[in-house]
Amino acid sequence: MSTSDQGATTVQRLLQRQILPLDTDPDVLPLYLDCEEPSLDEDKYVVGGSRAAKELNNASIRQKTATGRTVRPDQVLSRTAVLVPSGEKVSFGTYFNAFPASYWRRWSVVTAVTLTVTVRGSGATVIVNKSMANGRQQKVDSGVTEAEGPTTLTFELTLGPFIDGGWYWYDVVAGHGDVTVESAEWTAAVPADRAEHGTVDLAITTMNRPDFCAKLLAQLGTAELLPYLDTVFVMEQGTQLVRDSEFFPGAEAGLEGRLRVLQQGNLGGSGGYARGQLESVRKGTATYAMMMDDDVVCEPEGIIRAVTFGDLAKRPTIVGGHMFSLYAKSRLHSFGEIVQPYRFWWMSPKDGFQDWDFGARNLRSARWLHKRQDVDFNGWFMCMIPRQVLEDIGLSLPLFIKWDDSEYGLRAKAAGVPTVTFPGAAVWHVPWTDKNDALDWQAYFHQRNRFVAALLHSGYPRGGRLLQESFAFDLAHLVSMQYSTVELRIQALEDVLAGPHGLHGMLGTRLGEVNAFRKQFTDAQLHADPDDFPPVRREKPPRKGKDLSDVPGRLSKVITAGLAPIRQLKRPRDLSREFPEVEIRAMDAKWYRIAGFDSAVVSMNDGTSAALYQRDRERYKALVRRTVELHNRFRRDWDEIAGQYRGALGDITSPDTWEKTFAPWADGDER
């Protein structure tokens, strides 16, 4: 304990430590260690960048710069130690080991950090580097080890220059002999009242993934993480129970009495997470509640870092993690998420990139990764909310799935609570890129919940571009013969008009109703065997031999958009009633391609099945009338409907209201 220049008592606190992967999967190593030299790109966000680089931004920034030089798995000696062979260099300027200085500078009480690096072996050089928001990099300091035994080098580093972005990191170069980097720590002097770390309740919603969930629970039972865990709540909403997994007994033992499994009906992600939030608030012993998906692989150190950052934030702050692909572990899904206010649609900021492969271009080689990314929300695959915030602004909206996490981030932001997607806190998740959930039963929840969130939070008259975009989506689905999708989107809008107080009542029933309703439509009837469909036959060959793989130009798309709705009024070709006119692969199933056919067999994005699409002129006309009427009503009555939802928000997200929803399963605590 020490006293600062202003007289306040401070203590040293560990912010981040050097870590190495828990397994030796080569795919994950680039997130921890890097042997490549930086090759800084030039992109459109660089002031003074060349015109060619600006025009070729997406192509040039994604070029692979890795040469294949990697740390061998046998060099990883422990969770914190790595061997650096004679004459070689290893950089810790990586996702998990670089220090995200700009995030600490912007959101925390920390103003300076101390880096200590312990190296065993003489002749090693430790080089400390920093970057600026535009990616330019500078050497800050360095030191050399002289003794054969362990030597600890210490570097005092200010956070002053990181107002817009930038990282600190260190490189280690071995001399004439091998050296071992045994450990490294980033510490800071913090106010004495922040000396003790907080604790977190984990809320995991699971449904029919017993092994996946049990393995996740086992990952949480590490000696380093256990002191940070208060309770791990598992909301069991399926019929294949986690307790029946062969991995469950060991996982339960590892958590040393911290596990509670709560069994309830299928209330979706929002119903599961809200149960965990409610239990955390009612229990009142943890500082935070963290939402986490059941189908992830966790980096336990990320939870510790999230708690530490939350403890030292200037104000109560939601701290989220990043998502990497479970099947390509060096690929980052997104560096941050916003809700574009005029469209009212979630997206990555335009100065960022999705599906970024750190194995192809490392952190030090990509300028955009050095600019601090400010966000509106964090997905609830890994998102930590202070209990105080849950008490102040309420629990999740009863939305089943979709938009519960983004709405909560917007609600918190309006209350002065920021969300930080924090580098170094992450999970590996089954990627979303192989799904098209805008077409199946989830289309209902996408549409309904987007409108609910917009009614609550949009600052634009009539939701900005929302109504225009929603109607355009309906037309695109209609000219694509996706009638089940439009029916569900229309039902969604009708349910929004029914008012906010019906959301809780339909939470446990709407999914079943939606699925039962979809079964009547051929475009929703999936078949795994291609021979279930009649053979392809056409009355006429394609015009001028055009192929589905041809990519139409902008003018061609505009013309198609104008003519396709009119074409739907024509009588379908006779032969198309018996035979599909074409087979369309999922990757080619765009509206402007499908719209020219009267029937088609269309495969699904997951590659397991296909459905028969058939044009129905009368159904098309009826659905157009309904969607026009609904969108006109929203355009006319937007302010009135928004007032209803905003007035009810406090009640429908309150612990008392949620307690009534959970009443049928109040005794569902299994352990």
Side-chain angles (χ1 to χ4, degrees), residues 608-627:
T608 62
S609 58
L612 176 64
Y613 291 7
Q614 281 193 313
R615 187 158 70 84
D616 186 328
R617 181 171 55 170
E618 296 307 314
R619 189 184 292 274
Y620 169 82
K621 290 190 290 186
L623 289 174
V624 167
R625 283 195 298 269
R626 288 173 63 194
T627 190

Side-chain angles (χ1 to χ4, degrees), residues 142-169:
S142 65
V144 178
T145 63
E146 297 180 356
E148 288 297 329
T151 300
T152 299
L153 301 175
T154 302
F155 307 93
E156 302 295 336
L157 307 167
T158 178
L159 296 186
F162 297 96
I163 194 167
D164 291 327
W167 303 68
Y168 275 125
W169 70 90

Side-chain angles (χ1 to χ4, degrees), residues 298-549:
C298 176
E299 168 51 85
E301 193 76 15
I303 299 175
I304 297 173
R305 292 180 182 182
V307 170
T308 303
F309 189 79
D311 290 345
L312 299 175
K314 295 176 183 176
R315 59 186 64 87
T317 298
I318 297 173
V319 184
H322 290 106
M323 179 197 297
F324 287 88
S325 170
L326 188 62
Y327 302 134
K329 291 186 176 179
S330 62
R331 302 188 80 98
L332 176 69
H333 175 71
S334 173
F335 204 53
E337 299 287 336
I338 62 170
V339 175
Q340 206 285 336
Y342 190 60
R343 290 186 60 206
F344 210 85
W345 185 247
W346 53 39
M347 59 183 289
S348 297
K350 290 184 178 180
D351 55 354
F353 293 84
Q354 296 186 36
D355 193 25
W356 186 263
D357 187 359
F358 282 96
R361 184 183 280 277
N362 60 34
L363 174 68
R364 296 167 296 137
S365 297
R367 291 183 189 270
W368 73 275
L369 286 167
H370 295 258
K371 177 181 176 182
R372 191 188 68 246
Q373 197 73 271
D374 295 336
V375 302
D376 290 328
F377 72 98
N378 198 95
W380 282 0
F381 53 86
M382 181 186 182
C383 184
M384 187 182 78
I385 305 172
R387 179 166 53 85
Q388 176 186 334
V389 173
L390 293 170
E391 293 170 346
D392 290 345
I393 71 170
L395 314 183
S396 170
L397 271 175
L399 298 180
F400 195 81
I401 59 169
K402 309 298 180 187
W403 285 92
D404 47 352
D405 46 14
S406 47
E407 185 283 326
Y408 200 92
L410 294 176
R411 195 192 327 165
K413 185 177 182 179
V417 178
T419 296
V420 176
T421 300
F422 189 58
V427 295
W428 289 268
H429 191 281
V430 176
W432 298 334
T433 50
D434 296 335
K435 304 176 183 178
N436 190 355
D437 56 13
L439 295 181
D440 61 12
W441 57 271
Q442 297 175 82
Y444 167 87
F445 295 101
H446 271 297
Q447 177 78 330
R448 186 195 67 176
N449 300 347
R450 182 186 182 190
F451 267 71
V452 169
L455 287 163
L456 288 168
H457 301 294
S458 176
Y460 288 93
R462 296 179 297 280
R465 190 180 155 190
L466 173 64
L467 294 176
Q468 173 189 346
E469 195 168 277
S470 173
F471 181 68
F473 284 164
D474 280 353
L475 281 184
H477 289 305
L478 285 171
V479 302
S480 303
M481 302 175 284
Q482 295 160 348
Y483 303 119
S484 68
T485 299
V486 179
E487 285 275 11
L488 294 185
R489 287 170 57 85
I490 286 174
Q491 286 187 14
L493 295 187
E494 291 171 343
D495 285 348
V496 173
L497 291 173
H501 291 286
L503 292 173
H504 273 278
M506 67 177 70
L507 191 61
T509 61
R510 205 66 180 104
L511 174 60
E513 295 164 354
V514 163
N515 276 327
F517 178 77
R518 289 181 69 240
K519 291 180 180 179
Q520 66 182 286
F521 297 90
T522 60
D523 63 277
Q525 296 169 11
L526 304 182
H527 297 265
D529 188 349
D531 291 334
D532 288 349
F533 302 104
V536 171
R537 292 186 184 175
R538 299 180 63 165
E539 292 182 359
K540 295 181 179 180
R543 186 168 178 263
K544 295 183 179 181
K546 288 187 177 180
D547 187 85
L548 281 173
S549 60

Side-chain angles (χ1 to χ4, degrees), residues 576-587:
S576 70
R577 302 303 85 187
E578 294 184 56
F579 301 98
E581 295 184 325
V582 67
E583 289 183 357
I584 302 179
R585 294 167 294 189
M587 66 185 74

Side-chain angles (χ1 to χ4, degrees), residues 57-336:
N57 171 52
N58 276 321
S60 63
I61 197 171
R62 287 184 177 272
Q63 287 179 355
K64 182 175 180 178
T65 59
T67 64
R69 294 180 60 238
T70 61
V71 173
R72 301 189 314 273
D74 63 348
Q75 290 177 238
V76 178
L77 305 180
S78 71
R79 180 63 160 151
T80 62
V82 61
L83 175 71
V84 182
S86 174
E88 294 191 11
K89 175 182 177 180
V90 171
S91 177
F92 293 82
T94 58
Y95 176 82
F96 279 118
N97 280 316
F99 184 77
S102 64
Y103 292 81
W104 286 97
R105 167 73 162 82
R106 173 64 181 89
W107 301 110
S108 83
V109 299
V110 175
T111 59
V113 294
T114 301
L115 168 64
T116 57
V117 183
T118 300
V119 180
R120 179 181 293 274
S122 64
T125 303
V126 177
I127 306 167
V128 181
N129 307 278
K130 74 173 183 180
S131 64
M132 292 172 279
N134 63 7
R136 291 173 58 194
Q137 299 159 25
Q138 299 174 349
K139 175 181 174 181
V140 176
D141 203 349
S142 65
V144 178
T145 63
E146 297 180 356
E148 288 297 329
T151 300
T152 299
L153 301 175
T154 302
F155 307 93
E156 302 295 336
L157 307 167
T158 178
L159 296 186
F162 297 96
I163 194 167
D164 291 327
W167 303 68
Y168 275 125
W169 70 90
Y170 51 97
D171 302 332
V172 178
V173 183
H176 294 298
D178 297 351
V179 299
T180 300
V181 187
E182 295 189 334
S183 65
E185 294 183 343
W186 304 83
T187 60
V190 303
D193 61 353
R194 304 206 186 206
E196 298 298 322
H197 67 74
T199 57
V200 61
D201 288 330
L202 254 66
I204 301 170
T205 300
T206 189
M207 182 178 175
N208 298 337
R209 292 193 181 104
D211 287 349
F212 225 136
C213 186
K215 289 179 181 178
L216 171 59
L217 296 176
Q219 294 158 26
L220 301 174
T222 67
E224 293 81 11
L225 180 57
L226 282 177
Y228 293 81
L229 297 181
D230 190 306
T231 305
V232 177
F233 294 103
V234 174
M235 275 55 70
E236 178 67 85
Q237 299 190 150
T239 56
Q240 301 172 36
L241 306 182
V242 65
R243 69 165 181 260
D244 294 332
S245 169
E246 62 179 299
F247 306 104
F248 182 77
E252 182 183 34
L255 288 169
E256 299 181 359
R258 293 171 173 82
L259 178 63
R260 284 183 62 194
V261 179
L262 306 174
Q263 193 161 358
Q264 60 184 32
N266 182 16
L267 304 181
S270 68
Y273 290 131
R275 180 71 182 276
Q277 294 166 2
L278 176 66
E279 296 290 339
S280 183
V281 166
R282 292 296 194 230
K283 179 168 61 67
T285 55
T287 321
Y288 312 98
M290 178 177 282
M291 314 306 112
M292 184 171 284
D293 275 353
D294 61 341
D295 56 344
V296 303
V297 171
C298 176
E299 168 51 85
E301 193 76 15
I303 299 175
I304 297 173
R305 292 180 182 182
V307 170
T308 303
F309 189 79
D311 290 345
L312 299 175
K314 295 176 183 176
R315 59 186 64 87
T317 298
I318 297 173
V319 184
H322 290 106
M323 179 197 297
F324 287 88
S325 170
L326 188 62
Y327 302 134
K329 291 186 176 179
S330 62
R331 302 188 80 98
L332 176 69
H333 175 71
S334 173
F335 204 53

